[in-house]
Amino acid sequence: MKYLLIVIIAFSSFQMFAQDRITGENFVTRSEVIAKNGMVATSHPLATQVGIDILKQGGSAIDAAIAANAALGLMEPTGSGIGGDLFAIVWDAKTQKLHGLNASGRSPENLTLKYFRDNNYKKIPSLGPLPVSVPGCVDGWFELHSKFGKLPMNKILAPAINYANEGFPVTELIGYYLQRSVPYLGSKFPNVLETYTINGKVPSKGTIFKNPYLATTYSKIAKEGRDAFYKGAIARTIVNFIKEQGGFLSYNDLATHKSEWVQPVSVNYRGFDVWELPPNGQGIAALQMLNIIEQYDFTNIEFGSAEHIHIVTEAKKLAFEDRAKYYADMDFAKVPVQELLDKAYAKNRKKLITEKAGKYNAGEISAGETIYLTVADKDGNMVSFIQSNYRGMGSGMVPPKLGFMLQDRGELFTLEEGKFNTYAPKKRPFHTIIPAFITKNGKPYVSFGVMGGDFQPQGHVQIVMNLVDFGMNLQEAGDAPRIEHAGSSSPTGEVAANKGEIKLESGISFNEIRKLISRGHKVGYGGSFGGYQAIMFDAENEVYLGASESRKDGQAGGY
């Protein structure tokens, strides 16, 4: 009874919205942006404008995406930067095909599982030099550019270089995250305060912030290419610093790094093909969920109802147990992707779902903070692009006078021997960041992503359902109240202890929450609900529609 009272109080004001709209759902924050020649949607208005400017100069969607990502690495260091990794799905208008790029880095060749065991580590630390893997972002830029770029890299990086030298005003949400992250990391590790403060003060909303170190780094990359980062002075500065800090990342780790072009994988959901990248990312979890959910008739199930939330939650639990067991670097583990995405497998998994909240194991199969942006151009090319350092700003490792922090993706390995995702040298860790794409009858429909760690596959599923099952427009699909289930087993070795907890945003009625509780669900308030950006191609009118995340500082813009 006490718990029920807490939930009632927590959700008592959830049905109130700031203002009614003349059109669309009450929860929608704005109309979709509509334009004919190009569209850019990012989590920062200035980065969106950078992308639009590149498109207007004749750049491709990929050129604009790289330019916007470089700007975000400067303007939103709390979630991105060239110390991190990158994944992308590209619709190439010329060949009418999707291309996938896995630009994630590998673990150090000289760091072994034995080292962790000999030093009594139960898990890889979140911060410091040990979770640092090779940053794949810059190589990803140049792989994308060599295949789909039009403008020279010096033009593409010029806007970010100018902003880094001249300064830009910090936005509200980024200021909030900087205030939370920089003092803590700066108290533990060198170069953080020098790079991310102004005369020792953390920048806040409206503060003009400059990063001349990053401007110099970008300028070297623009002039000398990707080898400036992986084989030149930048690489040596990185590895010398990590060695000083007690880490293992070597010059050879950087010099031998390469991205991988991969074939995106898909399932058909009620006539729409939903595309993700294969592991080491978690994208196929969204596809597994959709295969289960598709077996339910949603024509008479309302959005936000207990039935809707129950089905999505149970499908997530089932998929995430498979995620914990099977998802890993496919160069090291024979991940049964096709079996996991098989409709027959989904039918068998669905049989486990009842009217009550369940706890599940992985299926038995025989087998050996982040930024998201999307861009579309006048030629019909579209790119779904996600890039991150992990855990917000990353590992705390800021190489001197380079202007960026290195990622801590290595934390996502397990140290338990014999698992698909067990740590090994030169191995890519399990990855949370995933771009998504939807096609209809072999033609581009929606390029989208939702940031937020473990929430990302859940967010992808909710966007698809909002568009397909609930008939929402592109902006409504992102603004609609979100659902997160927490507490599943993890690829890092944690095993679900119970049925977990459903966390809800504003807008779900208490009557439905009470029904969920009666089904055996634990229901709570507040979660990690990510950040959504999306572009839809309207083939009938030959225009793009753009939508941006209302939970962040972002903007969709077109021309």
Side-chain angles (χ1 to χ4, degrees):
M1 195 66 192
K2 180 181 177 183
Y3 176 73
L4 186 61
L5 182 62
I6 292 171
V7 173
I8 292 172
I9 294 170
F11 286 94
S12 61
S13 64
F14 275 14
Q15 295 305 302
M16 295 186 293
F17 297 96
Q19 184 174 339
D20 292 341
R21 285 176 53 86
I22 296 171
T23 60
E25 299 285 353
N26 266 358
F27 55 69
V28 72
T29 57
R30 66 193 96 174
S31 301
E32 299 155 301
V33 176
I34 307 175
K36 181 173 176 56
N37 293 315
M39 184 72 66
V40 181
T42 83
S43 51
H44 196 296
L46 296 182
T48 296
Q49 292 173 40
V50 164
I52 291 292
D53 287 344
I54 292 295
L55 291 180
K56 287 182 176 180
Q57 291 175 38
S60 68
I62 283 67
D63 292 336
I66 295 167
N69 185 210
L72 288 167
L74 166 69
M75 299 171 181
E76 194 171 343
T78 51
S80 63
I82 56 173
D85 286 341
L86 180 162
F87 293 83
I89 299 176
V90 180
W91 173 265
D92 178 30
K94 188 178 295 183
T95 61
Q96 295 285 291
K97 290 182 179 179
L98 284 172
H99 302 260
L101 182 69
N102 180 335
S104 62
R106 296 163 179 83
S107 58
E109 62 184 357
N110 296 321
L111 178 58
T112 64
L113 189 62
K114 183 177 184 297
Y115 172 87
F116 290 109
R117 188 165 56 244
D118 290 348
N119 288 276
N120 298 314
Y121 283 97
K122 302 300 181 186
K123 66 183 292 293
I124 297 177
S126 301
L127 301 173
L130 292 180
V132 175
S133 51
V134 174
C137 176
V138 172
D139 186 69
W141 285 355
F142 281 86
E143 283 290 328
L144 288 165
H145 184 258
S146 65
K147 202 174 186 78
F148 300 110
K150 292 172 68 176
L151 297 180
M153 193 62 85
N154 62 344
K155 277 194 174 183
I156 292 169
L157 295 183
I161 293 169
N162 289 339
Y163 272 122
N165 279 321
E166 297 172 12
F168 64 94
V170 173
T171 55
E172 181 177 3
L173 198 65
I174 303 309
Y176 168 79
Y177 284 129
L178 286 170
Q179 294 288 328
R180 291 186 63 185
S181 300
V182 171
Y184 176 75
L185 294 173
S187 69
K188 288 179 169 291
F189 304 114
N191 308 322
V192 175
L193 298 179
E194 180 185 359
T195 302
Y196 296 108
T197 63
I198 305 168
N199 297 321
K201 186 176 181 181
V202 181
S204 57
K205 174 184 171 182
T207 304
I208 301 299
F209 180 66
K210 301 176 183 179
N211 190 338
Y213 294 152
L214 187 60
T216 300
T217 298
Y218 279 173
S219 296
K220 288 180 180 177
I221 293 169
K223 183 179 179 181
E224 302 171 28
R226 56 90 62 200
D227 283 356
F229 188 91
Y230 293 97
K231 295 181 179 180
I234 296 171
R236 297 192 184 281
T237 299
I238 292 171
V239 300
N240 288 340
F241 174 70
I242 291 298
K243 185 177 180 180
E244 289 170 3
Q245 297 300 307
F248 291 83
L249 197 68
S250 70
Y251 180 82
N252 193 57
D253 289 326
L254 290 167
T256 58
H257 171 73
K258 61 179 181 179
S259 301
E260 180 184 5
W261 288 98
V262 297
Q263 180 59 45
V265 293
S266 70
V267 299
N268 187 274
Y269 184 77
R270 309 195 204 281
F272 295 84
D273 291 311
V274 183
W275 298 85
E276 301 276 357
L277 297 181
N280 52 315
Q282 62 175 338
I284 62 171
L287 305 185
Q288 286 192 253
M289 289 175 66
L290 289 171
N291 272 349
I292 295 169
I293 294 166
E294 188 183 32
Q295 298 171 64
Y296 293 88
D297 182 0
F298 267 79
T299 55
N300 294 312
I301 299 176
E302 292 185 5
F303 173 84
S305 66
E307 185 73 3
H308 164 216
I309 296 169
H310 175 73
I311 291 168
V312 169
T313 298
E314 299 306 295
K316 179 266 182 181
K317 291 180 190 176
L318 286 166
F320 269 51
E321 291 307 312
D322 286 344
R323 184 188 82 138
K325 180 175 181 178
Y326 295 114
Y327 295 14
D329 185 347
M330 293 175 67
D331 287 344
F332 285 75
K334 191 177 179 182
V335 182
V337 174
Q338 295 308 316
E339 291 91 337
L340 290 169
L341 298 184
D342 187 82
K343 297 284 187 180
Y345 177 69
K347 286 182 179 179
N348 286 329
R349 297 292 275 165
K350 187 254 187 184
K351 292 175 184 176
L352 299 173
I353 299 176
T354 69
E355 292 299 305
K356 295 290 187 178
K359 184 176 181 297
Y360 309 104
N361 295 318
E364 291 300 324
I365 293 176
S366 176
E369 236 342 290
T370 302
I371 61 92
Y372 174 82
L373 64 91
T374 177
V375 182
D377 64 30
K378 61 182 175 57
D379 297 318
N381 302 298
M382 300 174 72
V383 57
S384 181
F385 186 113
I386 196 160
Q387 198 269 308
S388 171
N389 284 0
Y390 193 56
R391 284 199 180 275
M393 295 190 74
S395 62
M397 297 288 94
V398 179
K401 296 180 170 44
L402 293 185
F404 64 88
M405 187 177 294
L406 293 162
Q407 65 184 355
D408 47 0
R409 283 286 168 185
E411 180 192 353
L412 290 177
F413 285 112
T414 178
L415 295 180
E416 186 179 350
E417 293 190 67
K419 302 296 184 181
F420 276 39
N421 189 46
T422 300
Y423 178 85
K426 304 292 283 185
K427 184 176 182 178
R428 291 174 295 196
F430 167 80
H431 241 285
T432 57
I433 61 174
I434 51 175
F437 207 95
I438 305 174
T439 57
K440 175 76 169 174
N441 298 324
K443 301 296 181 183
Y445 181 53
V446 178
S447 172
F448 77 100
V450 187
M451 299 170 278
D454 287 345
F455 176 72
Q456 292 186 49
Q458 301 179 65
H460 285 199
V461 166
Q462 290 171 53
I463 296 301
V464 172
M465 292 184 71
N466 290 349
L467 292 169
V468 176
D469 292 316
F470 301 119
M472 297 182 191
N473 71 33
L474 199 66
Q475 187 64 46
E476 289 170 341
D479 283 341
R482 290 184 184 159
I483 308 154
E484 181 186 24
H485 175 268
S488 294
S489 300
S490 166
T492 55
E494 295 83 2
V495 177
N498 48 46
K499 299 172 186 177
E501 180 180 11
I502 298 173
K503 299 180 180 181
L504 300 174
E505 278 192 311
S506 310
I508 306 299
S509 79
F510 180 69
N511 284 337
E512 300 306 316
I513 294 167
R514 187 166 52 192
K515 291 176 187 176
L516 287 168
I517 294 171
S518 71
R519 287 175 180 253
H521 292 288
K522 182 181 179 182
V523 184
Y525 165 68
S528 174
F529 296 110
Y532 162 79
Q533 317 291 335
I535 297 174
M536 176 184 288
F537 179 63
D538 178 347
E540 182 179 351
N541 294 305
E542 296 186 342
V543 295
Y544 293 116
L545 295 92
S548 182
E549 178 59 78
S550 60
R551 298 160 186 83
K552 291 185 176 278
D553 299 323
Q555 178 188 48
Y559 80 105

